[in-house]
Amino acid sequence: MSIAGKIWGSTELIEANHALEFHRIETKAGGVCSKHLHRYKWNGFYVEEGKLLIRVWQNDYDLVDETILGPGDWTKVKPGVMHQFECLEDSVAFEVYWSEFNHNDIVRESVGFNK
């Protein structure tokens, strides 16, 4: 495990493998992370204590979605979408990153046959 300092607090990598990354984050009230996106990864947030405001800049309309998470709350942001969190109260949260295996990714040219 490694703990990395950030301008808004700290993040501790708990697990990273070929399927996901799992981080514990601590931040003080007023901390704001960068506005950013992940090209291929989902980004999920689960709050253990405190309050986080999650901002999401949607690609298909000109509004910013805002969700306030308290203890026990969860939200996720899909790949390719700008987002940011702001700490409203001193907080401990968990951040999860994953790529989605899409079961409907098949493109068929025929339906097959039986002889």
Side-chain angles (χ1 to χ4, degrees):
M1 289 186 268
S2 66
I3 298 176
K6 303 277 189 174
I7 196 164
W8 48 260
S10 65
T11 180
E12 178 183 0
L13 176 62
I14 296 171
E15 175 67 30
N17 59 47
H18 69 279
L20 67 84
E21 288 182 28
F22 184 63
H23 299 255
R24 182 178 186 273
I25 61 175
E26 289 188 29
T27 183
K28 299 288 186 195
V32 180
C33 79
S34 65
K35 179 180 174 183
H36 65 281
L37 64 80
H38 305 280
R39 289 187 186 130
Y40 309 108
K41 297 184 292 191
W42 285 81
N43 192 181
F45 299 91
Y46 177 85
V47 173
E48 182 177 279
E49 60 185 66
K51 282 189 183 173
L52 292 181
L53 167 64
I54 310 298
R55 290 187 186 93
V56 179
W57 286 262
Q58 298 295 341
N59 294 330
D60 49 354
Y61 54 90
D62 191 26
L63 293 174
V64 179
D65 291 336
E66 294 187 339
T67 302
I68 295 176
L69 302 177
D73 290 338
W74 161 263
T75 194
K76 59 187 177 181
V77 180
K78 63 185 174 182
V81 177
M82 287 286 185
H83 59 283
Q84 175 183 65
F85 69 78
E86 178 178 344
C87 185
L88 302 178
E89 297 177 358
D90 292 359
S91 297
V92 174
F94 295 92
E95 212 174 357
V96 182
Y97 302 96
W98 72 96
S99 295
E100 186 172 276
F101 181 80
N102 186 340
H103 296 279
N104 296 316
D105 71 343
I106 190 167
V107 177
R108 298 182 195 279
E109 282 192 11
S110 68
V111 296
F113 58 92
N114 188 359
K115 286 186 175 188

